[in-house]
Amino acid sequence: MKAITCFILILYGGLLFCSSAPDTLYILETTDIHGFIYPYDYINDTEFDGGLARIYTLVKKYRARSDKVILLDGGDMLQGTPLADYYNKILPADSNPFIEIMNFMEYDAFTVGNHDIEQGQEIYDRARAQSHFPWLAANALLAGGSVYFDPYIIINLNGVRIGILGLTTPSIPSYMDESFYPGIIWGDMVPTAEKYASLLRPNVDILVGLFHAGFIAEEPLCSPVANASGIIAEQTPGFDIICAGHSHRPLPLEFTETKGAAETARINAGDRGKYLGIVRIIYQQDDSGFKMISRQTWLESATQVEPAAEILDIALPYHKATLTYINTILTYTEEPLSTYNAWFQDNPLVDMINLLQLHITQADISFTTCFDTAINIEPGPVLIKHAYALYPYYNFLYTMKLNGQQIKDYLEYSARFYQVVNDTLRAVDDIPGYYCDFAEGISYYINPEESYGNRIIITGMDEGSMPFALDRQYTVAMNSFRASGGGGFITAIKASSQDIIYRNHIDITSLIIEHLRSVDKLVPQITRNWEIRY
């Protein structure tokens, strides 16, 4: 018995000697930061519960815990706040503040997002040149088969080879025209992932997909699929982890462990720096090679985290300059203005945007939306930040040639937003308010109780000089997102980008700012050209 016990101990000790103890490395993900560095909401003058300053506090915690940490970002960094606009467009600095801070935080890789491309080639090329980390997008293809950005990077972390493949949503042509990405063709994510997974897998121990695309294919009829991260996770072998973005949908909502080699771990850190995505990889590595034991994923909230003093110090000059900029007085108003209930009744601030678009383009009809129904402007100064509140997205003013039937169909598609439940008018839960557009230049009413196709009654042109005709051609002003296919409006009315006849490459927010600057007093005007009847 004693001899058997000794034999077991000797055998067990030999196994311990031959096999290394399990080790751990961390992959940390941010995505869709959208210009939030400082923990500050520039529109509402309040503290913001996200941003890179809070995120860096969490990053430091994990770096103190382990010397095997990789920090990644999934795109849409350069857009989303007045600070971003100020330093991208109005006062381009020698050093881009976002890249300066990402360099300081020692990011290892960045997959470009559609809103980064939207800033224009000069801006994203300059930001990329300042970066100490690679910009990835394997499906940003050029003629001849080359790639505009780096397709992937392989990081050797203490002997562990980690391959990181970047892919960007191919729906960019639906958001903006080719002038923002000259010569780039946005390829299908799925075959691109298959190609590079086959190439990289034999040469890495861990394969990571860093994708600016969501896990849920929310636009399944689009080809290629805009949000294909889930399809790749399910159908493309070889990926150990996919870090997603673009959709702003945080995932996983609770601690998740993935052990099977055939299953791909998934994570999406949401948006605006409210979460840090954590991937903990437990592995063994010895003379026999690398063995993955487990992948654990969770989100760590940054909302109650103290902002890192280092980031606040770097960002402070940019922050102060932005505060001065957004509080610049443009004009004055003698009465309060609000977007309250603007999705359900004609509104003077929405009308102001539509009338401005008609004035600039000289179009017959204009479409716009209300992005936020909680905007309030008190009597007194109207500031630049009010313009950003009214129009927070980076869109441009386009004009299309459409017939009367297409214009009616456009409003029918928009009216999907409404429903009547128990004699009460309300919004449909799964359609965002910014997918409900309002027209100027025509008079019409909406009956949400009618069936799709019969909800819109157009009673005539606003000027009253001629009736509205379904077979007549009209010029129609709208933003570049809509005209390029965003939201599905153009597909629904059977139009295309070939129907675009005018492009203004000054963003609509800037056009609103210049309009407000040009008037001594902002006087609200309600055209009352539409209403809801049921």
Side-chain angles (χ1 to χ4, degrees):
M1 184 68 180
K2 187 181 294 184
I4 293 173
T5 303
C6 291
F7 174 77
I8 292 172
L9 288 171
I10 292 168
L11 178 61
Y12 180 69
L15 289 172
L16 285 177
F17 180 78
C18 294
S19 299
S20 62
D23 205 345
T24 300
L25 68 80
Y26 292 94
I27 297 173
L28 310 180
E29 186 216 20
T30 58
T31 189
D32 296 87
I33 294 295
H34 285 293
F36 279 91
I37 300 172
Y38 222 80
Y40 190 81
D41 181 334
Y42 292 99
I43 305 303
N44 297 305
D45 287 328
T46 57
E47 184 179 2
F48 181 69
D49 58 359
L52 287 180
R54 296 187 194 275
I55 287 292
Y56 189 55
T57 298
L58 296 176
V59 171
K60 288 192 295 181
K61 180 180 76 172
Y62 283 93
R63 285 179 174 157
R65 183 178 298 175
S66 173
D67 62 350
K68 302 180 186 70
V69 177
I70 289 177
L71 180 59
L72 306 175
D73 187 85
D76 278 4
M77 176 67 71
L78 302 182
Q79 172 273 346
T81 60
L83 187 152
D85 258 16
Y86 188 61
Y87 284 100
N88 284 340
K89 299 289 187 180
I90 298 163
L91 188 65
D94 291 337
S95 176
N96 182 294
F98 304 102
I99 302 305
E100 183 178 349
I101 285 168
M102 290 179 76
N103 286 340
F104 179 84
M105 292 174 66
E106 297 183 324
Y107 273 85
D108 293 289
F110 170 78
T111 290
V112 65
N114 54 290
H115 284 294
D116 304 310
I117 297 299
E118 188 181 60
Q119 303 313 298
Q121 189 176 39
E122 180 182 354
I123 291 168
Y124 61 74
D125 275 355
R126 184 169 64 238
R128 183 188 180 194
Q130 294 170 5
S131 301
H132 299 168
F133 48 86
W135 286 39
L136 308 179
N139 61 327
L141 307 174
L142 298 172
S146 60
V147 180
Y148 190 84
F149 301 99
D150 294 328
Y152 63 86
I153 182 176
I154 297 177
I155 297 172
N156 193 312
L157 193 63
N158 293 352
V160 180
R161 301 165 302 164
I162 303 155
I164 301 163
L165 174 68
L167 293 172
T168 300
T169 177
S171 61
I172 285 177
S174 296
Y175 305 147
M176 66 201 86
D177 65 61
E178 192 181 351
S179 66
F180 294 91
Y181 50 91
I184 298 176
I185 300 168
W186 299 96
D188 193 322
M189 289 177 60
V190 178
T192 308
E194 292 171 351
K195 169 187 171 181
Y196 281 98
S198 299
L199 174 70
L200 290 169
R201 186 72 260 188
N203 301 300
V204 299
D205 302 305
I206 300 169
L207 183 55
V208 179
L210 182 59
F211 301 160
H212 189 77
F215 284 114
I216 301 173
E218 296 165 333
E219 300 170 48
L221 298 180
C222 292
S223 181
V225 175
N227 290 287
S229 294
I231 295 172
I232 295 170
E234 292 165 6
Q235 299 180 6
T236 304
F239 287 96
D240 297 301
I241 304 109
I242 289 180
C243 301
H246 184 55
S247 65
H248 297 194
R249 294 175 181 264
L251 186 90
L253 299 179
E254 58 186 21
F255 177 90
T256 303
E257 186 164 20
T258 306
K259 289 187 176 180
E263 188 177 355
T264 302
R266 309 181 188 199
I267 197 160
N268 184 331
D271 67 300
R272 298 179 295 167
K274 292 193 172 186
Y275 294 101
L276 179 65
I278 315 292
V279 183
R280 180 165 60 198
I281 298 173
I282 301 172
Y283 66 95
Q284 279 184 313
Q285 189 172 37
D286 52 32
D287 293 341
S288 64
F290 178 91
K291 179 183 178 183
M292 181 91 68
I293 297 174
S294 176
R295 288 150 290 161
Q296 301 166 347
T297 52
W298 68 94
L299 300 177
E300 190 151 343
S301 174
T303 58
Q304 302 300 316
V305 173
E306 192 69 22
E310 305 96 311
I311 303 300
L312 296 181
D313 288 345
I314 296 170
L316 186 59
Y318 303 115
H319 172 64
K320 286 183 174 180
T322 303
L323 288 176
T324 300
Y325 166 64
I326 63 169
N327 287 295
T328 300
I329 297 174
L330 298 173
T331 187
Y332 294 85
T333 179
E334 293 181 348
E335 55 185 284
L337 298 172
S338 173
T339 55
Y340 174 75
N341 214 34
W343 292 331
F344 297 95
Q345 63 185 38
D346 202 1
N347 180 273
L349 292 172
V350 177
D351 285 351
M352 180 193 74
I353 296 171
N354 259 332
L355 292 170
L356 175 62
Q357 292 183 169
L358 287 175
H359 173 73
I360 292 170
T361 63
Q362 294 298 295
D364 302 310
I365 296 163
S366 174
F367 290 124
T368 194
T369 189
C370 177
F371 294 103
D372 184 352
T373 57
I375 298 169
N376 292 293
I377 304 174
E378 298 299 327
V382 179
L383 310 176
I384 282 179
K385 70 177 181 181
H386 294 133
Y388 277 98
L390 282 171
Y391 217 99
Y393 293 98
Y394 198 69
N395 296 324
F396 300 87
L397 182 56
Y398 285 12
T399 304
M400 300 188 75
K401 197 80 170 178
L402 302 176
N403 62 44
Q405 183 64 57
Q406 289 174 310
I407 291 163
K408 180 181 183 297
D409 291 345
Y410 189 107
L411 289 171
E412 289 282 355
Y413 186 79
S414 176
R416 298 174 307 130
F417 176 74
Y418 301 108
Q419 62 179 336
V420 177
V421 180
N422 297 326
D423 295 326
T424 301
L425 179 66
R426 53 175 292 182
V428 173
D429 291 337
D430 60 352
I431 299 179
Y434 53 76
Y435 278 171
C436 180
D437 279 13
F438 311 100
E440 199 65 59
I442 53 175
S443 296
Y444 64 100
Y445 65 87
I446 305 165
N447 186 343
E449 290 190 307
E450 290 289 345
S451 60
Y452 183 83
N454 298 298
R455 291 182 163 193
I456 302 297
I457 302 297
I458 300 175
T459 58
M461 303 298 290
D462 278 353
E463 297 299 324
S465 58
M466 63 177 65
F468 179 83
L470 295 178
D471 60 352
R472 184 172 294 152
Q473 293 288 315
Y474 298 93
T475 54
V476 183
M478 66 183 72
N479 70 39
S480 54
F481 179 75
R482 287 284 191 269
S484 299
F489 284 75
I490 298 307
T491 300
I493 67 174
K494 297 181 173 59
S496 73
S497 59
Q498 294 181 349
D499 298 311
I500 299 171
I501 59 174
Y502 167 81
R503 293 177 171 89
N504 185 321
H505 283 167
I506 300 174
D507 64 278
I508 294 174
T509 310
S510 295
L511 294 174
I512 294 170
I513 289 170
E514 290 311 307
H515 167 68
L516 294 173
R517 202 192 305 270
S518 71
V519 298
D520 294 330
K521 182 169 62 175
L522 179 58
V523 180
Q525 177 183 358
I526 305 178
T527 60
R528 304 189 191 281
N529 67 307
W530 70 272
E531 63 178 343
I532 298 174
R533 301 177 184 174
Y534 66 99

